[in-house]
Amino acid sequence: LPTTTYRTPDFLAAAERLGFDVTVASEEASTLEGLNPSGLLTVDFDNAASAVERVKEFARRFPVDAVVGADDETVIVSAAIAEALGLPHNSADSVLAARHKPTMRRRLDEAHVPQPRFRLFSIEEEPSRAASAVAFPCVLKPTFLAASRGVIRADDATRFTEAWRRIEKILAEPDVQRRGGEWSREILVEEYVPGAEVALEGLFREGELVTLALFDKPDLMEGPFFEETIYVTPSRLSEEAQQSVRDTAARAAAALGLRHGPVHAELRIPPDGPRVIEIAGRSIGGLCSRTLRFGTGMSLEELLLKDALGLDVAQEKRESRAAGVLMLPIPGVGKLEEIRGAAEARAVRGIEEVTISAHLGQRLVPLPEGSRYLGFVFARAESPERVEAALREAHRRLEFRIRA
Ligand code: ADP
């Protein structure tokens, strides 16, 4: 669990409900580690070899039955740890491809999986020259970041150079450099794919990618920045379109060589059929998993922990009610001074929970530089339309005062 993850409470609650013992491995040492040697562990997520050594030594004292990663940062390291412990895992090659966008694009191309055309540049290159080598509109992005950080659409050469410079600054941040290594010297440029976007949450069961949920993203995301806002499931797409999304995602996962555990994919659907924007060997990020419930109220985290232990979760189906989440975007740079309307937002019919994860006094950074949300709003109702309407009404009632 990276220290930046939103998911710690949900994974810990899941483990507690199931009665499993957990060890939280994080990249920053906790002052409590000495007091809880079986429960807390520090590993370097960016150095799989050292993390593996650390966990092997740990596992001699406290045997480990399953390894589950949260968020992109842990995907490579958890596969390496699982391999070292002789547990089921995705190949090193497949998790690398799912983590590094240009590698993913090359693999998908080789397998003829529909996706945007792309071209990889080094930041050494002159952006005006790079601009003359691509078609517009296009999307520029770092090759290894998440949550749309640094993802910028450009419609002409001037905007392209501006976007390039902005990404260059993000890639120059020490923290980003440390995490990205040589990847922080790359910019990926892709053809802009128009159309509706969906997110597919899947899980491998006996070698087959099973869809746990397909989310529509009812807000059109046309850039220049790509803020995630509303996710609603079940999808309102035709059964035929949904099938085509599921098939494309399964082909993409196979092209990368993913075989175990969760898969999260984002696809866009222009008139000629779905194209893969991104596919990752991890589960959904933020607190969005709270929209999902399986069987008689099981959380996604419970399902993932059971699956990682090899317990049978094949029969678990998502509950049939419509559900959705609104990721509250950060409207501007500055200090968060006041939050109003949370009670009013909670009172909207269908709203289940309003979680403000930013705290008063916090300095907020919007996209494309930032990568956090103000919080999350959850809704459940009898139809996706009702869920979407409830989320929009809740958003209307919330007010954030930010001092520049
Ligand atoms: P991240 O991994 O940071 O989320 P993505 O590559 O998934 O980055 O891009 C984030 C969002 O930006 C996507 O969900 C999509 O809305 C938009 N986007 C990215 N690439 C493209 C593209 N080639 N065409 C259209 N939209 C894109």
Side-chain angles (χ1 to χ4, degrees), residues 37-54:
S38 67
L40 295 169
L41 183 67
T42 311
V43 296
D44 185 350
F45 292 151
D46 303 319
N47 183 340
S50 99
V52 161
E53 278 321 303
R54 184 90 185 78

Side-chain angles (χ1 to χ4, degrees), residues 101 141 145-148 190-193 197 226 268 278:
K101 296 179 202 286
K141 56 175 87 168
L145 295 180
S148 306
E190 297 176 355
E191 163 193 11
Y192 172 78
V193 180
E197 187 165 318
F226 297 91
R268 282 204 168 204
E278 161 126 291

Side-chain angles (χ1 to χ4, degrees), residues 338-380:
E338 198 185 349
I339 302 163
R340 277 204 218 153
E344 290 80 353
R346 277 187 196 105
V348 174
R349 198 170 146 251
I351 295 297
E352 265 192 348
E353 187 185 334
V354 176
T355 300
I356 308 297
S357 39
H359 51 81
L360 290 182
Q362 186 176 332
R363 235 195 104 64
L364 301 174
V365 184
L367 279 178
E369 284 78 16
S371 61
R372 310 289 290 173
Y373 302 104
L374 285 171
F376 300 83
V377 181
F378 300 90
R380 248 171 253 279

Side-chain angles (χ1 to χ4, degrees), residues 131-153:
S132 63
V134 302
F136 295 102
C138 65
V139 175
L140 295 85
K141 56 175 87 168
T143 61
F144 64 100
L145 295 180
S148 306
R149 191 171 177 206
V151 179
I152 308 176
R153 169 174 165 168

